[in-house]
Amino acid sequence: MGKQLWNEGVKVNAICPGVVLTPLLTPELKAYFSENVLLTMSDVTNVILKLISEEEVTDSKGTFVPGDQLHSQAILVSGEKYYCVDMPEYFDEETQLTHQHMMG
């Protein structure tokens, strides 16, 4: 949807955080994860604010995304770092057809 809505002035990206400390993360669930992988809400919102407010970004591995391509990105959030991930390949014809129908 990102490419289609970009033409209408709407920026769409997918934010993919790991395990975020929210009230939904009960102590029992939290026990499954190492403390060093837990994210705070501010870790996630800081990345979102960067994507909203900046015309272009350079992610934590040095990948530069110019403003006219800052849509349809999958953004992995890892603590204070974030990574732009390439669109995955289609693994079967049904997935490709679904995407084509959604994009018009």
Side-chain angles (χ1 to χ4, degrees), residues 15-49:
I15 306 301
C16 307
V19 182
V20 182
L21 292 168
T22 70
L24 295 174
L25 190 64
T26 64
E28 295 81 17
L29 287 174
K30 185 178 174 184
Y32 284 106
F33 303 99
S34 170
E35 287 290 324
N36 61 340
V37 302
L38 299 175
L39 302 174
T40 66
M41 284 300 297
S42 63
D43 292 329
V44 179
T45 56
N46 286 339
V47 171
I48 293 169
L49 290 172

Side-chain angles (χ1 to χ4, degrees), residues 31-93:
Y32 284 106
F33 303 99
S34 170
E35 287 290 324
N36 61 340
V37 302
L38 299 175
L39 302 174
T40 66
M41 284 300 297
S42 63
D43 292 329
V44 179
T45 56
N46 286 339
V47 171
I48 293 169
L49 290 172
K50 179 179 279 295
L51 293 170
I52 291 171
S53 65
E54 296 187 13
E55 292 296 317
E56 54 195 31
V57 297
T58 301
D59 74 6
S60 298
K61 66 181 177 193
T63 301
F64 174 74
V65 181
D68 64 346
Q69 296 176 23
L70 195 52
H71 62 81
S72 308
Q73 298 283 328
I75 313 291
L76 300 180
V77 180
S78 179
E80 294 180 8
K81 298 177 183 175
Y82 67 97
Y83 305 92
C84 298
V85 179
D86 292 330
M87 187 174 191
E89 64 180 280
Y90 297 118
F91 295 105
D92 56 42
E93 185 177 344

